[in-house]
mmCIF file of all heavy atoms in Angstrom:
data_model
loop_
_atom_site.group_PDB
_atom_site.id
_atom_site.type_symbol
_atom_site.label_atom_id
_atom_site.label_comp_id
_atom_site.label_asym_id
_atom_site.label_seq_id
_atom_site.Cartn_x
_atom_site.Cartn_y
_atom_site.Cartn_z
ATOM 1 N N THR P 1 2.099 -16.097 -2.961
ATOM 2 C CA THR P 1 1.734 -15.937 -4.373
ATOM 3 C C THR P 1 1.729 -14.466 -4.757
ATOM 4 O O THR P 1 2.261 -14.093 -5.805
ATOM 5 C CB THR P 1 0.361 -16.577 -4.650
ATOM 6 O OG1 THR P 1 0.446 -17.980 -4.375
ATOM 7 C CG2 THR P 1 -0.063 -16.372 -6.093
ATOM 8 N N LEU P 2 1.158 -13.625 -3.905
ATOM 9 C CA LEU P 2 1.134 -12.194 -4.199
ATOM 10 C C LEU P 2 2.548 -11.632 -4.283
ATOM 11 O O LEU P 2 2.866 -10.866 -5.192
ATOM 12 C CB LEU P 2 0.310 -11.446 -3.147
ATOM 13 C CG LEU P 2 0.199 -9.933 -3.352
ATOM 14 C CD1 LEU P 2 -0.389 -9.592 -4.724
ATOM 15 C CD2 LEU P 2 -0.634 -9.310 -2.234
ATOM 16 N N SER P 3 3.426 -12.033 -3.380
ATOM 17 C CA SER P 3 4.822 -11.573 -3.420
ATOM 18 C C SER P 3 5.509 -12.015 -4.706
ATOM 19 O O SER P 3 6.236 -11.234 -5.334
ATOM 20 C CB SER P 3 5.600 -12.110 -2.217
ATOM 21 O OG SER P 3 5.139 -11.517 -1.040
ATOM 22 N N ASP P 4 5.275 -13.273 -5.111
ATOM 23 C CA ASP P 4 5.859 -13.776 -6.356
ATOM 24 C C ASP P 4 5.363 -12.973 -7.561
ATOM 25 O O ASP P 4 6.142 -12.614 -8.447
ATOM 26 C CB ASP P 4 5.516 -15.256 -6.560
ATOM 27 C CG ASP P 4 6.288 -16.186 -5.648
ATOM 28 O OD1 ASP P 4 7.243 -15.741 -4.980
ATOM 29 O OD2 ASP P 4 5.914 -17.385 -5.601
ATOM 30 N N LEU P 5 4.067 -12.683 -7.596
ATOM 31 C CA LEU P 5 3.499 -11.939 -8.721
ATOM 32 C C LEU P 5 4.009 -10.501 -8.755
ATOM 33 O O LEU P 5 4.269 -9.954 -9.829
ATOM 34 C CB LEU P 5 1.975 -11.972 -8.662
ATOM 35 C CG LEU P 5 1.350 -13.336 -8.911
ATOM 36 C CD1 LEU P 5 -0.146 -13.298 -8.640
ATOM 37 C CD2 LEU P 5 1.633 -13.815 -10.328
ATOM 38 N N LYS P 6 4.175 -9.892 -7.587
ATOM 39 C CA LYS P 6 4.724 -8.537 -7.552
ATOM 40 C C LYS P 6 6.169 -8.532 -8.046
ATOM 41 O O LYS P 6 6.581 -7.606 -8.749
ATOM 42 C CB LYS P 6 4.607 -7.938 -6.153
ATOM 43 C CG LYS P 6 3.168 -7.609 -5.787
ATOM 44 C CD LYS P 6 3.014 -6.710 -4.582
ATOM 45 C CE LYS P 6 3.485 -7.276 -3.309
ATOM 46 N NZ LYS P 6 3.126 -6.464 -2.125
ATOM 47 N N LEU P 7 6.921 -9.561 -7.702
ATOM 48 C CA LEU P 7 8.299 -9.679 -8.197
ATOM 49 C C LEU P 7 8.300 -9.819 -9.720
ATOM 50 O O LEU P 7 9.069 -9.138 -10.414
ATOM 51 C CB LEU P 7 9.002 -10.869 -7.550
ATOM 52 C CG LEU P 7 10.411 -11.170 -8.049
ATOM 53 C CD1 LEU P 7 11.342 -9.982 -7.824
ATOM 54 C CD2 LEU P 7 10.946 -12.429 -7.368
ATOM 55 N N ALA P 8 7.442 -10.679 -10.254
ATOM 56 C CA ALA P 8 7.366 -10.864 -11.709
ATOM 57 C C ALA P 8 6.971 -9.560 -12.401
ATOM 58 O O ALA P 8 7.560 -9.181 -13.419
ATOM 59 C CB ALA P 8 6.371 -11.974 -12.044
ATOM 60 N N LEU P 9 6.002 -8.852 -11.845
ATOM 61 C CA LEU P 9 5.576 -7.575 -12.420
ATOM 62 C C LEU P 9 6.706 -6.557 -12.388
ATOM 63 O O LEU P 9 6.949 -5.847 -13.364
ATOM 64 C CB LEU P 9 4.358 -7.043 -11.661
ATOM 65 C CG LEU P 9 3.870 -5.663 -12.091
ATOM 66 C CD1 LEU P 9 3.395 -5.685 -13.536
ATOM 67 C CD2 LEU P 9 2.774 -5.179 -11.170
ATOM 68 N N THR P 10 7.424 -6.502 -11.269
ATOM 69 C CA THR P 10 8.551 -5.577 -11.145
ATOM 70 C C THR P 10 9.608 -5.872 -12.199
ATOM 71 O O THR P 10 10.133 -4.952 -12.847
ATOM 72 C CB THR P 10 9.168 -5.659 -9.735
ATOM 73 O OG1 THR P 10 8.169 -5.297 -8.783
ATOM 74 C CG2 THR P 10 10.369 -4.741 -9.594
ATOM 75 N N GLU P 11 9.927 -7.146 -12.406
ATOM 76 C CA GLU P 11 10.930 -7.523 -13.405
ATOM 77 C C GLU P 11 10.471 -7.143 -14.814
ATOM 78 O O GLU P 11 11.256 -6.623 -15.613
ATOM 79 C CB GLU P 11 11.225 -9.011 -13.329
ATOM 80 C CG GLU P 11 11.930 -9.443 -12.055
ATOM 81 C CD GLU P 11 13.322 -8.856 -11.893
ATOM 82 O OE1 GLU P 11 13.951 -8.450 -12.895
ATOM 83 O OE2 GLU P 11 13.796 -8.794 -10.743
ATOM 84 N N ALA P 12 9.205 -7.401 -15.126
ATOM 85 C CA ALA P 12 8.682 -7.077 -16.457
ATOM 86 C C ALA P 12 8.719 -5.564 -16.702
ATOM 87 O O ALA P 12 9.154 -5.103 -17.765
ATOM 88 C CB ALA P 12 7.266 -7.618 -16.610
ATOM 89 N N CYS P 13 8.269 -4.789 -15.721
ATOM 90 C CA CYS P 13 8.273 -3.333 -15.865
ATOM 91 C C CYS P 13 9.697 -2.785 -15.945
ATOM 92 O O CYS P 13 9.981 -1.874 -16.733
ATOM 93 C CB CYS P 13 7.530 -2.678 -14.704
ATOM 94 S SG CYS P 13 5.754 -2.943 -14.720
ATOM 95 N N THR P 14 10.587 -3.334 -15.133
ATOM 96 C CA THR P 14 11.979 -2.893 -15.139
ATOM 97 C C THR P 14 12.617 -3.119 -16.504
ATOM 98 O O THR P 14 13.378 -2.272 -16.995
ATOM 99 C CB THR P 14 12.776 -3.601 -14.031
ATOM 100 O OG1 THR P 14 12.203 -3.247 -12.774
ATOM 101 C CG2 THR P 14 14.240 -3.208 -14.050
ATOM 102 N N ASN P 15 12.309 -4.241 -17.143
ATOM 103 C CA ASN P 15 12.833 -4.489 -18.491
ATOM 104 C C ASN P 15 12.388 -3.403 -19.457
ATOM 105 O O ASN P 15 13.184 -2.901 -20.262
ATOM 106 C CB ASN P 15 12.397 -5.861 -19.006
ATOM 107 C CG ASN P 15 13.234 -6.976 -18.438
ATOM 108 O OD1 ASN P 15 14.312 -6.760 -17.904
ATOM 109 N ND2 ASN P 15 12.726 -8.184 -18.546
ATOM 110 N N SER P 16 11.118 -3.010 -19.398
ATOM 111 C CA SER P 16 10.642 -1.943 -20.284
ATOM 112 C C SER P 16 11.302 -0.612 -19.958
ATOM 113 O O SER P 16 11.738 0.110 -20.853
ATOM 114 C CB SER P 16 9.117 -1.806 -20.178
ATOM 115 O OG SER P 16 8.475 -2.871 -20.828
ATOM 116 N N VAL P 17 11.394 -0.285 -18.676
ATOM 117 C CA VAL P 17 11.995 0.992 -18.277
ATOM 118 C C VAL P 17 13.463 1.059 -18.703
ATOM 119 O O VAL P 17 13.927 2.067 -19.230
ATOM 120 C CB VAL P 17 11.849 1.202 -16.749
ATOM 121 C CG1 VAL P 17 12.721 2.347 -16.256
ATOM 122 C CG2 VAL P 17 10.393 1.427 -16.378
ATOM 123 N N ARG P 18 14.206 -0.021 -18.511
ATOM 124 C CA ARG P 18 15.648 -0.019 -18.800
ATOM 125 C C ARG P 18 15.983 -0.136 -20.281
ATOM 126 O O ARG P 18 16.958 0.450 -20.743
ATOM 127 C CB ARG P 18 16.325 -1.188 -18.094
ATOM 128 C CG ARG P 18 16.595 -0.964 -16.664
ATOM 129 C CD ARG P 18 17.442 -2.089 -16.129
ATOM 130 N NE ARG P 18 17.685 -1.906 -14.715
ATOM 131 C CZ ARG P 18 18.129 -2.855 -13.927
ATOM 132 N NH1 ARG P 18 18.377 -4.057 -14.404
ATOM 133 N NH2 ARG P 18 18.335 -2.613 -12.657
ATOM 134 N N HIS P 19 15.217 -0.942 -21.003
ATOM 135 C CA HIS P 19 15.643 -1.311 -22.349
ATOM 136 C C HIS P 19 14.814 -0.732 -23.492
ATOM 137 O O HIS P 19 15.289 -0.675 -24.618
ATOM 138 C CB HIS P 19 15.674 -2.836 -22.481
ATOM 139 C CG HIS P 19 16.546 -3.483 -21.455
ATOM 140 N ND1 HIS P 19 17.910 -3.313 -21.418
ATOM 141 C CD2 HIS P 19 16.241 -4.286 -20.402
ATOM 142 C CE1 HIS P 19 18.407 -3.992 -20.398
ATOM 143 N NE2 HIS P 19 17.415 -4.589 -19.766
ATOM 144 N N ALA P 20 13.591 -0.310 -23.234
ATOM 145 C CA ALA P 20 12.729 0.119 -24.333
ATOM 146 C C ALA P 20 13.065 1.517 -24.840
ATOM 147 O O ALA P 20 13.054 1.762 -26.039
ATOM 148 C CB ALA P 20 11.265 0.059 -23.910
ATOM 149 N N TYR P 21 13.350 2.413 -23.935
ATOM 150 C CA TYR P 21 13.519 3.823 -24.307
ATOM 151 C C TYR P 21 14.938 4.259 -23.976
ATOM 152 O O TYR P 21 15.238 4.680 -22.869
ATOM 153 C CB TYR P 21 12.504 4.680 -23.555
ATOM 154 C CG TYR P 21 11.090 4.221 -23.785
ATOM 155 C CD1 TYR P 21 10.401 3.504 -22.807
ATOM 156 C CD2 TYR P 21 10.447 4.476 -24.991
ATOM 157 C CE1 TYR P 21 9.108 3.077 -23.018
ATOM 158 C CE2 TYR P 21 9.152 4.047 -25.213
ATOM 159 C CZ TYR P 21 8.481 3.350 -24.225
ATOM 160 O OH TYR P 21 7.199 2.923 -24.438
ATOM 161 N N ARG P 22 15.796 4.150 -24.946
ATOM 162 C CA ARG P 22 17.210 4.489 -24.732
ATOM 163 C C ARG P 22 17.478 5.939 -25.080
ATOM 164 O O ARG P 22 16.673 6.603 -25.710
ATOM 165 C CB ARG P 22 18.078 3.559 -25.569
ATOM 166 C CG ARG P 22 17.900 2.128 -25.098
ATOM 167 C CD ARG P 22 19.043 1.256 -25.490
ATOM 168 N NE ARG P 22 18.820 -0.068 -24.908
ATOM 169 C CZ ARG P 22 18.986 -1.186 -25.559
ATOM 170 N NH1 ARG P 22 19.398 -1.179 -26.796
ATOM 171 N NH2 ARG P 22 18.771 -2.327 -24.964
ATOM 172 N N GLU P 23 18.640 6.380 -24.651
ATOM 173 C CA GLU P 23 19.131 7.724 -24.937
ATOM 174 C C GLU P 23 18.183 8.801 -24.431
ATOM 175 O O GLU P 23 17.942 9.802 -25.088
ATOM 176 C CB GLU P 23 19.387 7.888 -26.440
ATOM 177 C CG GLU P 23 20.426 6.912 -26.962
ATOM 178 C CD GLU P 23 20.514 6.876 -28.467
ATOM 179 O OE1 GLU P 23 19.913 7.736 -29.139
ATOM 180 O OE2 GLU P 23 21.185 5.973 -28.969
ATOM 181 N N GLY P 24 17.593 8.572 -23.257
ATOM 182 C CA GLY P 24 16.768 9.585 -22.623
ATOM 183 C C GLY P 24 15.409 9.807 -23.260
ATOM 184 O O GLY P 24 14.712 10.756 -22.900
ATOM 185 N N ARG P 25 15.040 8.966 -24.202
ATOM 186 C CA ARG P 25 13.746 9.120 -24.868
ATOM 187 C C ARG P 25 12.613 8.826 -23.875
ATOM 188 O O ARG P 25 12.636 7.838 -23.179
ATOM 189 C CB ARG P 25 13.665 8.149 -26.055
ATOM 190 C CG ARG P 25 12.540 8.476 -26.988
ATOM 191 C CD ARG P 25 12.601 7.582 -28.221
ATOM 192 N NE ARG P 25 11.259 7.063 -28.387
ATOM 193 C CZ ARG P 25 10.947 5.819 -28.632
ATOM 194 N NH1 ARG P 25 11.896 4.925 -28.761
ATOM 195 N NH2 ARG P 25 9.706 5.449 -28.763
ATOM 196 N N ALA P 26 11.637 9.701 -23.809
ATOM 197 C CA ALA P 26 10.497 9.502 -22.911
ATOM 198 C C ALA P 26 9.571 8.448 -23.493
ATOM 199 O O ALA P 26 9.485 8.273 -24.712
ATOM 200 C CB ALA P 26 9.750 10.814 -22.725
ATOM 201 N N GLY P 27 8.884 7.754 -22.621
ATOM 202 C CA GLY P 27 7.932 6.751 -23.070
ATOM 203 C C GLY P 27 7.046 6.313 -21.925
ATOM 204 O O GLY P 27 7.141 6.824 -20.810
ATOM 205 N N THR P 28 6.179 5.356 -22.221
ATOM 206 C CA THR P 28 5.274 4.836 -21.212
ATOM 207 C C THR P 28 5.325 3.312 -21.179
ATOM 208 O O THR P 28 5.784 2.671 -22.125
ATOM 209 C CB THR P 28 3.811 5.268 -21.487
ATOM 210 O OG1 THR P 28 3.427 4.778 -22.777
ATOM 211 C CG2 THR P 28 3.651 6.768 -21.428
ATOM 212 N N VAL P 29 4.844 2.781 -20.080
ATOM 213 C CA VAL P 29 4.685 1.344 -19.907
ATOM 214 C C VAL P 29 3.211 1.123 -19.580
ATOM 215 O O VAL P 29 2.664 1.785 -18.698
ATOM 216 C CB VAL P 29 5.575 0.801 -18.772
ATOM 217 C CG1 VAL P 29 5.328 -0.687 -18.553
ATOM 218 C CG2 VAL P 29 7.049 1.067 -19.074
ATOM 219 N N GLU P 30 2.588 0.233 -20.319
ATOM 220 C CA GLU P 30 1.178 -0.072 -20.093
ATOM 221 C C GLU P 30 1.067 -1.429 -19.407
ATOM 222 O O GLU P 30 1.680 -2.402 -19.846
ATOM 223 C CB GLU P 30 0.430 -0.099 -21.424
ATOM 224 C CG GLU P 30 -1.052 -0.335 -21.265
ATOM 225 C CD GLU P 30 -1.774 -0.264 -22.583
ATOM 226 O OE1 GLU P 30 -1.658 -1.218 -23.370
ATOM 227 O OE2 GLU P 30 -2.449 0.750 -22.812
ATOM 228 N N ILE P 31 0.309 -1.476 -18.330
ATOM 229 C CA ILE P 31 0.107 -2.712 -17.582
ATOM 230 C C ILE P 31 -1.381 -3.048 -17.617
ATOM 231 O O ILE P 31 -2.220 -2.210 -17.263
ATOM 232 C CB ILE P 31 0.568 -2.570 -16.116
ATOM 233 C CG1 ILE P 31 1.988 -2.008 -16.036
ATOM 234 C CG2 ILE P 31 0.466 -3.919 -15.402
ATOM 235 C CD1 ILE P 31 2.380 -1.532 -14.654
ATOM 236 N N LEU P 32 -1.691 -4.256 -18.064
ATOM 237 C CA LEU P 32 -3.069 -4.743 -18.064
ATOM 238 C C LEU P 32 -3.182 -5.860 -17.041
ATOM 239 O O LEU P 32 -2.327 -6.748 -16.998
ATOM 240 C CB LEU P 32 -3.461 -5.293 -19.435
ATOM 241 C CG LEU P 32 -3.411 -4.331 -20.604
ATOM 242 C CD1 LEU P 32 -3.715 -5.065 -21.904
ATOM 243 C CD2 LEU P 32 -4.404 -3.212 -20.408
ATOM 244 N N TYR P 33 -4.234 -5.806 -16.241
ATOM 245 C CA TYR P 33 -4.498 -6.838 -15.244
ATOM 246 C C TYR P 33 -5.864 -7.432 -15.571
ATOM 247 O O TYR P 33 -6.831 -6.691 -15.753
ATOM 248 C CB TYR P 33 -4.591 -6.242 -13.843
ATOM 249 C CG TYR P 33 -3.427 -5.382 -13.421
ATOM 250 C CD1 TYR P 33 -3.409 -4.022 -13.709
ATOM 251 C CD2 TYR P 33 -2.366 -5.918 -12.709
ATOM 252 C CE1 TYR P 33 -2.362 -3.219 -13.305
ATOM 253 C CE2 TYR P 33 -1.319 -5.126 -12.290
ATOM 254 C CZ TYR P 33 -1.315 -3.780 -12.594
ATOM 255 O OH TYR P 33 -0.277 -2.976 -12.186
ATOM 256 N N GLN P 34 -5.934 -8.731 -15.627
ATOM 257 C CA GLN P 34 -7.211 -9.392 -15.861
ATOM 258 C C GLN P 34 -7.347 -10.534 -14.866
ATOM 259 O O GLN P 34 -6.521 -11.453 -14.852
ATOM 260 C CB GLN P 34 -7.288 -9.920 -17.295
ATOM 261 C CG GLN P 34 -8.625 -10.504 -17.640
ATOM 262 C CD GLN P 34 -8.719 -10.850 -19.117
ATOM 263 O OE1 GLN P 34 -7.914 -10.407 -19.937
ATOM 264 N NE2 GLN P 34 -9.703 -11.630 -19.458
ATOM 265 N N ILE P 35 -8.365 -10.460 -14.033
ATOM 266 C CA ILE P 35 -8.575 -11.508 -13.054
ATOM 267 C C ILE P 35 -9.792 -12.323 -13.478
ATOM 268 O O ILE P 35 -10.823 -11.770 -13.836
ATOM 269 C CB ILE P 35 -8.709 -10.950 -11.623
ATOM 270 C CG1 ILE P 35 -8.624 -12.071 -10.620
ATOM 271 C CG2 ILE P 35 -9.936 -10.117 -11.450
ATOM 272 C CD1 ILE P 35 -8.096 -11.670 -9.279
ATOM 273 N N GLU P 36 -9.599 -13.617 -13.507
ATOM 274 C CA GLU P 36 -10.649 -14.554 -13.866
ATOM 275 C C GLU P 36 -10.792 -15.529 -12.705
ATOM 276 O O GLU P 36 -9.938 -15.575 -11.821
ATOM 277 C CB GLU P 36 -10.266 -15.278 -15.157
ATOM 278 C CG GLU P 36 -10.111 -14.329 -16.324
ATOM 279 C CD GLU P 36 -9.642 -15.002 -17.602
ATOM 280 O OE1 GLU P 36 -9.625 -16.240 -17.668
ATOM 281 O OE2 GLU P 36 -9.277 -14.271 -18.532
ATOM 282 N N PRO P 37 -11.861 -16.331 -12.683
ATOM 283 C CA PRO P 37 -12.050 -17.244 -11.553
ATOM 284 C C PRO P 37 -10.867 -18.174 -11.299
ATOM 285 O O PRO P 37 -10.565 -18.487 -10.149
ATOM 286 C CB PRO P 37 -13.295 -18.039 -11.944
ATOM 287 C CG PRO P 37 -14.040 -17.138 -12.868
ATOM 288 C CD PRO P 37 -12.982 -16.375 -13.614
ATOM 289 N N ASP P 38 -10.173 -18.582 -12.358
ATOM 290 C CA ASP P 38 -9.103 -19.569 -12.188
ATOM 291 C C ASP P 38 -7.701 -19.040 -12.470
ATOM 292 O O ASP P 38 -6.739 -19.783 -12.404
ATOM 293 C CB ASP P 38 -9.364 -20.787 -13.071
ATOM 294 C CG ASP P 38 -9.276 -20.456 -14.553
ATOM 295 O OD1 ASP P 38 -9.459 -19.276 -14.931
ATOM 296 O OD2 ASP P 38 -9.032 -21.378 -15.340
ATOM 297 N N ARG P 39 -7.575 -17.750 -12.802
ATOM 298 C CA ARG P 39 -6.251 -17.230 -13.150
ATOM 299 C C ARG P 39 -6.183 -15.715 -13.053
ATOM 300 O O ARG P 39 -7.189 -15.035 -13.129
ATOM 301 C CB ARG P 39 -5.859 -17.666 -14.551
ATOM 302 C CG ARG P 39 -6.651 -16.988 -15.647
ATOM 303 C CD ARG P 39 -6.437 -17.570 -17.012
ATOM 304 N NE ARG P 39 -7.008 -18.900 -17.022
ATOM 305 C CZ ARG P 39 -6.697 -19.852 -17.887
ATOM 306 N NH1 ARG P 39 -5.837 -19.609 -18.834
ATOM 307 N NH2 ARG P 39 -7.259 -21.030 -17.827
ATOM 308 N N LEU P 40 -4.955 -15.235 -12.929
ATOM 309 C CA LEU P 40 -4.652 -13.816 -13.011
ATOM 310 C C LEU P 40 -3.714 -13.643 -14.197
ATOM 311 O O LEU P 40 -2.699 -14.344 -14.295
ATOM 312 C CB LEU P 40 -3.980 -13.319 -11.729
ATOM 313 C CG LEU P 40 -3.513 -11.864 -11.743
ATOM 314 C CD1 LEU P 40 -4.701 -10.912 -11.829
ATOM 315 C CD2 LEU P 40 -2.690 -11.556 -10.512
ATOM 316 N N VAL P 41 -4.070 -12.729 -15.088
ATOM 317 C CA VAL P 41 -3.265 -12.456 -16.274
ATOM 318 C C VAL P 41 -2.726 -11.040 -16.157
ATOM 319 O O VAL P 41 -3.482 -10.102 -15.874
ATOM 320 C CB VAL P 41 -4.105 -12.589 -17.570
ATOM 321 C CG1 VAL P 41 -3.259 -12.297 -18.796
ATOM 322 C CG2 VAL P 41 -4.756 -13.961 -17.648
ATOM 323 N N VAL P 42 -1.429 -10.887 -16.365
ATOM 324 C CA VAL P 42 -0.792 -9.571 -16.328
ATOM 325 C C VAL P 42 -0.012 -9.406 -17.631
ATOM 326 O O VAL P 42 0.726 -10.297 -18.041
ATOM 327 C CB VAL P 42 0.161 -9.425 -15.115
ATOM 328 C CG1 VAL P 42 0.851 -8.068 -15.140
ATOM 329 C CG2 VAL P 42 -0.592 -9.638 -13.811
ATOM 330 N N GLU P 43 -0.198 -8.259 -18.260
ATOM 331 C CA GLU P 43 0.525 -7.958 -19.503
ATOM 332 C C GLU P 43 1.225 -6.613 -19.344
ATOM 333 O O GLU P 43 0.617 -5.650 -18.883
ATOM 334 C CB GLU P 43 -0.463 -7.902 -20.664
ATOM 335 C CG GLU P 43 0.183 -7.670 -21.999
ATOM 336 C CD GLU P 43 -0.825 -7.760 -23.130
ATOM 337 O OE1 GLU P 43 -1.509 -8.788 -23.240
ATOM 338 O OE2 GLU P 43 -0.903 -6.782 -23.895
ATOM 339 N N VAL P 44 2.493 -6.568 -19.706
ATOM 340 C CA VAL P 44 3.289 -5.345 -19.643
ATOM 341 C C VAL P 44 3.768 -5.047 -21.065
ATOM 342 O O VAL P 44 4.370 -5.911 -21.704
ATOM 343 C CB VAL P 44 4.496 -5.508 -18.684
ATOM 344 C CG1 VAL P 44 5.367 -4.261 -18.695
ATOM 345 C CG2 VAL P 44 4.009 -5.822 -17.277
ATOM 346 N N ALA P 45 3.469 -3.846 -21.547
ATOM 347 C CA ALA P 45 3.816 -3.501 -22.932
ATOM 348 C C ALA P 45 4.418 -2.101 -22.985
ATOM 349 O O ALA P 45 4.142 -1.245 -22.148
ATOM 350 C CB ALA P 45 2.571 -3.576 -23.815
ATOM 351 N N ASP P 46 5.246 -1.891 -23.999
ATOM 352 C CA ASP P 46 5.834 -0.577 -24.240
ATOM 353 C C ASP P 46 5.902 -0.330 -25.744
ATOM 354 O O ASP P 46 5.666 -1.238 -26.540
ATOM 355 C CB ASP P 46 7.226 -0.483 -23.594
ATOM 356 C CG ASP P 46 8.203 -1.488 -24.165
ATOM 357 O OD1 ASP P 46 8.546 -1.399 -25.369
ATOM 358 O OD2 ASP P 46 8.638 -2.385 -23.411
ATOM 359 N N ASP P 47 6.209 0.895 -26.115
ATOM 360 C CA ASP P 47 6.345 1.269 -27.525
ATOM 361 C C ASP P 47 7.804 1.544 -27.867
ATOM 362 O O ASP P 47 8.099 2.312 -28.772
ATOM 363 C CB ASP P 47 5.516 2.529 -27.817
ATOM 364 C CG ASP P 47 4.036 2.279 -27.667
ATOM 365 O OD1 ASP P 47 3.573 1.210 -28.079
ATOM 366 O OD2 ASP P 47 3.346 3.154 -27.109
#
């Protein structure tokens, strides 16, 4: 499960790195992690 989640996180972050900031524009990627008793929530966002 941890390996699967790391793969999903890598894919989400890679999409932001590759597609959000074109033409050499600098930017950031924000990752939110929320762990609850029955679930893990991960959010990846960019500007």
Side-chain angles (χ1 to χ4, degrees):
T1 298
L2 181 57
S3 292
D4 286 349
L5 292 172
K6 289 195 296 189
L7 176 60
L9 176 63
T10 299
E11 292 296 338
C13 290
T14 298
N15 281 344
S16 286
V17 167
R18 280 188 182 164
H19 304 294
Y21 304 104
R22 296 201 176 135
E23 300 169 10
R25 195 174 131 226
T28 59
V29 177
E30 183 176 75
I31 309 166
L32 299 175
Y33 307 88
Q34 185 173 344
I35 192 152
E36 298 176 11
D38 66 336
R39 71 190 68 200
L40 175 66
V41 180
V42 178
E43 183 174 305
V44 176
D46 62 65
D47 294 320

